[in-house]
């Protein structure tokens, strides 16, 4: 893994490269640390490109076989329906990725997977095997848009399969009802204007709710106002015969109120408290059934098995940020944000290893901007070369890819899916900040899956001559930066890539301090005793240096003694 730049202060992560390799690299560091995974893998429609993971083949043999790799040598091939292993190849692609992904989830973690009818049945079978059929939470039907293509049954939906790592760790899901929040905001606006004039507030609020009923679907019945706020009148009667029966005295007539045929649903003490708290609505006299006041602040949202989202709206939203027709079938950040509302909490991590256009990242930023949770994201996307992809794409895809290439040219970026995704996150963050003014983490750190930072050495000891020993003076590849080495060290030591990193200068040498001195590293050449001593005095848990970094033999000789003197508990490592 090498460092590609980005915002060093950001805790969000974007990784370019084969997602299977990335998952393997991240697994130990992020074991049991991800609260939610969302992926939108290729649907295997016959036109999709999928990863071919036969690592037993040499690259040259593979290229001869398939004719296509990306610039990193990742195998990316089309999976046509004419392929005799059409379903098998797709399952061989998705299975190992899901197998590893399970290890990332917290004990109460959840995974959502978008899919359609082509592989929904097969995907559920392998998820049952990997996560266990008892951990199947449900299948969401996402109705997108009207299908006008002539066929026997016009398909207007996709699926989102949901599994949890351990169903016993899940309590019923509910979230703040955002539509109810809109009514509350309007009520506060009216209250500020009309003060204690409850009747006027109620009339004005009802008129606004009626006008806004499309945007408030599901909560329009919250249209009553009293001294405590907004409520709707509920049902006081028990659901079956045998409810509680006792006298409730009307506050004006002082006569017993009417008792429901099935009795009250609340015991007498609960009823007494509700009356005292102003949570019971009385009629003009005792002949009208009393009703409980269901307060707006208690309105909760639940995740239903059918969600309607016009796919054209999410496409339009993407195009407003980026450009027209440069990416097919973008997902809705609103739908993904809705899923997150039920699952993630403060400081949780959301992972998407089929990142595509970056929708999941935008959904995280939008949710964070509402002040609900400081959630962090990890996006992984294959560094797919669009110039190569266009050669084997169908006519519709060719047009889209060509538009994407022209768009990337216009802003001076390379022709890759990653460049589209990264630019989308940057632009979405800028737009969200302009709209909300929220002070959140809009950035991301960018990394690329790469070969080891260390040189390969194949010499046998017997073949080595004394003058060749200088080959081992520095076993780090020449093109690797100090940031690259730091990332490798962090992963090796299990330190999150999102950890706080500070760059300091000690006696003219660049020093990295990770997580307020938990890890301190220096990869510069000719490190002096002054630098080593200054680092040791900060008492880091880990201190890491380059094997060839010591200024002279005396520094190397005194290295251990310096740490024994000032910080004997520090774990010292040398690359």
């Amino acid at each position: 893994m090498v460092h590609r730049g980005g915002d060093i202060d950001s805790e969000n992560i974007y990784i370019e490269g084969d997602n299977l390799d990335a998952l393997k690299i991240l697994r130990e560091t992020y074991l049991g640390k991800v609260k939610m995974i969302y992926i939108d893998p290729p649907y295997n429609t016959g036109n999709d490109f999928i990863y071919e993971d036969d690592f037993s083949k040499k690259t040259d043999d593979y290229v001869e076989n398939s004719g296509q790799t990306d610039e990193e040598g990742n195998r990316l091939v089309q999976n046509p329906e004419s392929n005799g292993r059409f379903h098998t190849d797709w399952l061989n692609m998705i299975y190992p990725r899901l197998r590893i992904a399970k290890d990332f989830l917290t004990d109460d973690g959840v995974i959502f997977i978008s899919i359609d009818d082509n592989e929904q049945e097969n995907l559920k079978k392998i998820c049952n095997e990997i996560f266990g059929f008892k951990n199947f939470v449900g299948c969401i039907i996402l109705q997108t848009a009207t299908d006008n293509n002539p066929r026997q049954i016009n398909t207007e939906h996709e699926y989102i399969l949901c599994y949890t790592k351990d169903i016993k760790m899940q309590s019923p899901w509910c979230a703040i009802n955002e539509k109810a929040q809109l009514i509350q905001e309007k009520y506060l606006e009216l209250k500020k204007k009309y003060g204690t004039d409850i009747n006027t507030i109620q009339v004005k609020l009802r008129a606004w709710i009626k006008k806004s009923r499309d945007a408030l679907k599901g909560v329009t019945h919250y249209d009553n106002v009293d001294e405590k706020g907004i409520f709707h009148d509920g049902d006081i009667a028990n659901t079956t015969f045998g409810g509680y029966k006792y006298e409730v005295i009307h506050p004006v007539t002082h006569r017993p109120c009417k008792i429901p045929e099935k009795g009250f649903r609340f015991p007498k003490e609960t009823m007494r408290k509700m009356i005292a708290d102003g949570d019971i609505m009385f009629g003009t006299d005792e002949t009208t059934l009393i009703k409980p006041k269901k307060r707006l602040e208690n309105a909760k949202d639940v995740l239903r098995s059918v969600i309607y989202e016009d796919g054209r709206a999410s496409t339009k939203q993407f195009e407003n940020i980026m450009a027209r027709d440069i990416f097919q079938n973008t997902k809705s950040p609103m739908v993904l944000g809705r899923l997150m509302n039920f699952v993630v909490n403060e400081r949780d991590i959301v992972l998407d290893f089929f990142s595509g256009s970056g929708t999941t990242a935008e959904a995280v930023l939008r949710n964070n901007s509402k002040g609900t949770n400081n959630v962090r994201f990890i996006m992984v996307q294959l560094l797919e070369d669009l110039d190569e992809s266009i050669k084997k794409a169908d006519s519709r895809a060719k047009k889209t890819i060509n538009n994407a290439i022209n768009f990337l040219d216009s802003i001076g970026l390379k022709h890759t899916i990653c460049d589209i995704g990264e630019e989308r996150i940057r632009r979405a963050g800028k737009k969200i900040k302009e709209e909300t003014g929220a002070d959140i983490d809009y950035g991301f750190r960018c990394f690329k899956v790469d070969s080891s930072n260390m040189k390969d050495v194949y010499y046998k000891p017997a073949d080595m001559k004394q003058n060749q020993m200088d080959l081992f003076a520095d076993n780090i590849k020449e093109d690797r930066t100090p940031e690259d080495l730091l990332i490798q060290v962090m992963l090796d030591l299990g330190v999150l890539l999102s950890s706080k990193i500070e760059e300091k200068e000690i006696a003219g040498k660049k020093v990295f301090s990770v997580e307020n001195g938990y890890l301190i590293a220096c990869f510069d050449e000719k490190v002096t005793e002054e630098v080593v001593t200054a680092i040791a005095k900060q008492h880091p848990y880990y201190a890491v240096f380059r094997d060839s970094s010591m200024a002279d033999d005396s520094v190397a000789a005194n290295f251990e003694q310096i740490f024994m003197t000032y910080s004997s508990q520090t774990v010292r490592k040398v690359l």
Side-chain angles (χ1 to χ4, degrees):
M1 188 89 73
V2 296
H3 185 252
R4 287 269 285 114
D7 305 286
I8 194 170
D9 294 331
S10 177
E11 294 187 274
N12 299 316
I13 304 297
Y14 191 100
I15 299 173
E16 303 172 350
D18 186 304
N19 53 17
L20 184 58
D21 291 339
L23 291 174
K24 289 177 179 178
I25 292 169
L26 297 174
R27 176 162 52 182
E28 292 301 319
T29 302
Y30 286 88
L31 186 70
K33 291 184 171 68
V34 174
K35 183 62 173 296
M36 172 178 160
I37 298 174
Y38 170 79
I39 57 171
D40 178 28
Y43 284 2
N44 210 22
T45 61
N47 297 315
D48 296 317
F49 287 88
I50 64 170
Y51 300 82
E52 183 174 84
D53 298 319
D54 185 355
F55 295 106
S56 66
K57 292 181 181 179
K58 295 179 180 179
T59 303
D60 291 344
D61 295 338
Y62 174 80
V63 172
E64 182 178 351
N65 176 50
S66 71
Q68 184 170 347
T69 62
D70 67 11
E71 65 180 46
E72 303 302 315
N74 296 313
R75 293 169 283 276
L76 187 67
V77 294
Q78 198 163 15
N79 192 34
E81 291 183 86
S82 57
N83 175 15
R85 293 167 53 85
F86 178 64
H87 294 289
T88 301
D89 285 349
W90 186 87
L91 291 170
N92 285 342
M93 178 276 294
I94 198 69
Y95 183 87
R97 289 164 172 80
L98 292 178
R99 193 87 190 181
I100 296 176
K102 180 184 177 184
D103 295 337
F104 284 74
L105 290 174
T106 58
D107 289 339
D108 60 346
V110 177
I111 183 170
F112 294 95
I113 309 172
S114 284
I115 200 67
D116 69 3
D117 281 319
N118 288 287
E119 296 292 353
Q120 189 266 355
E121 180 181 6
N122 291 325
L123 177 63
K124 188 173 181 182
K125 288 177 181 177
I126 62 172
C127 284
N128 283 341
E129 177 183 333
I130 293 171
F131 298 98
F133 71 92
K134 291 182 179 179
N135 292 317
F136 174 62
V137 177
C139 178
I140 297 171
I141 296 173
L142 179 61
Q143 185 181 358
T144 51
T146 302
D147 183 354
N148 294 318
N149 297 314
R151 63 185 77 194
Q152 291 76 33
I153 299 177
N154 287 9
T155 303
E156 300 179 354
H157 69 278
E158 298 177 359
Y159 305 100
I160 302 177
L161 292 183
C162 179
Y163 284 79
T164 181
K165 191 170 185 179
D166 185 354
I167 196 69
K168 294 190 294 295
M169 299 293 293
Q170 299 295 328
S171 55
W173 290 355
C174 62
I176 296 173
N177 192 306
E178 294 185 4
K179 295 178 181 179
Q181 290 291 98
L182 295 176
I183 295 178
Q184 179 68 14
E185 291 171 7
K186 185 63 179 179
Y187 163 74
L188 293 175
E189 176 189 320
L190 293 171
K191 186 176 180 182
K192 185 176 181 180
K193 184 175 182 180
Y194 297 105
T196 58
D197 187 352
I198 294 173
N199 291 332
T200 300
I201 292 174
Q202 179 166 289
V203 170
K204 297 289 185 181
L205 183 66
R206 286 180 174 178
W208 177 81
I209 289 174
K210 185 177 181 180
K211 182 180 178 181
S212 310
R213 59 183 177 273
D214 290 340
L216 301 174
K217 186 176 180 181
V219 293
T220 54
H221 53 297
Y222 284 94
D223 62 353
N224 291 300
V225 179
D226 65 5
E227 293 81 1
K228 292 177 66 175
I230 305 168
F231 68 93
H232 82 83
D233 51 317
D235 191 350
I236 201 70
N238 200 39
T239 55
T240 59
F241 287 99
Y244 300 98
K245 293 190 176 183
Y246 47 81
E247 286 189 350
V248 174
I249 304 301
H250 192 278
V252 176
T253 66
H254 303 293
R255 296 174 182 170
C257 293
K258 182 180 179 181
I259 299 175
E261 185 180 3
K262 296 179 180 178
F264 295 117
R265 64 171 56 191
F266 305 113
K268 189 172 184 178
E269 286 304 313
T270 301
M271 181 73 77
R272 183 178 297 169
K273 185 176 186 307
M274 292 174 71
I275 293 172
D277 291 341
D279 290 331
I280 292 294
M281 185 172 73
F282 288 88
T284 54
D285 59 36
E286 71 279 3
T287 61
T288 302
L289 273 176
I290 62 176
K291 296 180 179 180
K293 296 179 180 180
K294 301 292 184 179
R295 297 290 173 183
L296 181 71
E297 56 266 29
N298 296 324
K300 298 296 181 183
D301 197 7
V302 295
L303 185 56
R304 303 185 187 280
S305 61
V306 179
I307 298 175
Y308 175 75
E309 175 76 13
D310 192 333
R312 294 167 296 188
S314 56
T315 299
K316 185 70 173 176
Q317 182 176 340
F318 174 80
E319 290 176 350
N320 287 339
I321 295 175
M322 299 289 281
R324 184 177 175 82
D325 196 21
I326 66 168
F327 208 98
Q328 291 183 355
N329 303 319
T330 57
K331 296 304 178 188
S332 166
M334 301 308 170
V335 171
L336 299 192
R338 178 168 170 74
L339 298 180
M340 293 174 196
N341 286 340
F342 294 96
V343 176
V344 298
N345 297 302
E346 184 73 18
R347 303 288 298 160
D348 281 341
I349 298 174
V350 174
L351 167 65
D352 182 348
F353 51 89
F354 284 95
S355 177
S357 68
T359 302
T360 303
E362 180 179 339
V364 169
L365 296 181
R366 289 193 176 278
N367 274 23
N368 286 346
S369 71
K370 298 172 184 176
T372 50
N373 296 296
N374 185 22
V375 175
R376 297 159 288 170
F377 65 71
I378 301 175
M379 302 291 108
V380 184
Q381 174 57 40
L382 183 71
L383 196 60
E384 182 181 338
D385 187 339
L386 298 178
D387 293 318
E388 290 298 319
S389 297
I390 199 171
K391 295 175 183 178
K392 292 194 173 183
D394 60 28
S395 58
R396 182 189 173 198
K398 280 182 188 290
K399 180 181 178 182
T400 301
I401 295 173
N402 190 59
N403 290 340
I405 290 172
N406 291 336
F407 168 74
L408 292 167
D409 281 340
S410 71
I411 55 176
L413 296 179
K414 293 188 293 186
H415 300 168
T416 73
I417 294 293
C418 290
D419 282 278
I420 293 176
E422 291 165 26
E423 182 66 13
R424 191 258 183 92
I425 299 171
R426 286 189 288 265
R427 293 189 178 199
K430 181 180 179 181
K431 183 175 178 62
I432 293 167
K433 187 173 184 178
E434 290 172 352
E435 292 174 346
T436 67
D439 183 19
I440 63 170
D441 181 359
Y442 290 102
F444 59 91
R445 303 179 192 181
C446 189
F447 306 93
K448 185 173 78 169
V449 175
D450 209 319
S451 58
S452 169
N453 291 315
M454 318 310 287
K455 294 176 181 176
D456 296 320
V457 179
Y458 298 103
Y459 293 98
K460 296 178 181 178
D463 297 334
M464 296 297 298
K465 297 179 181 179
Q466 190 63 36
N467 61 3
Q468 289 176 318
M469 291 305 292
D470 59 352
L471 290 172
F472 293 94
D474 190 353
N475 60 346
I476 297 170
K477 293 177 179 176
E478 289 79 3
D479 63 341
R480 299 307 158 92
T481 67
E483 287 78 10
D484 295 338
L485 301 181
L486 178 65
I487 296 313
Q488 176 180 321
V489 168
M490 290 172 65
L491 289 170
D492 289 344
L493 299 179
V495 179
L496 299 184
L497 294 181
S498 59
S499 299
K500 181 181 179 182
I501 300 175
E502 296 177 279
E503 291 185 14
K504 302 179 179 180
E505 186 174 298
I506 300 177
K509 304 300 179 184
K510 180 189 286 188
V511 177
F512 296 100
S513 176
V514 182
E515 283 299 300
N516 300 314
Y518 176 77
L519 161 66
I520 298 180
C522 180
F523 305 113
D524 283 2
E525 300 286 352
K526 298 182 179 180
V527 172
T528 63
E529 283 191 15
E530 180 184 355
V531 177
V532 176
T533 302
I535 291 174
K537 285 183 175 181
Q538 295 182 54
H539 308 290
Y541 188 87
Y542 290 109
V544 183
F545 298 86
R546 195 167 179 157
D547 187 33
S548 62
S549 64
M550 301 306 165
D552 50 48
D553 291 341
S554 65
V555 178
N558 293 331
F559 176 83
E560 287 297 327
Q561 187 57 46
I562 292 171
F563 271 94
M564 288 302 296
T565 301
Y566 295 105
S567 187
S568 60
Q569 300 302 313
T570 295
V571 179
R572 284 87 75 187
K573 290 185 175 291
V574 177
L575 291 183

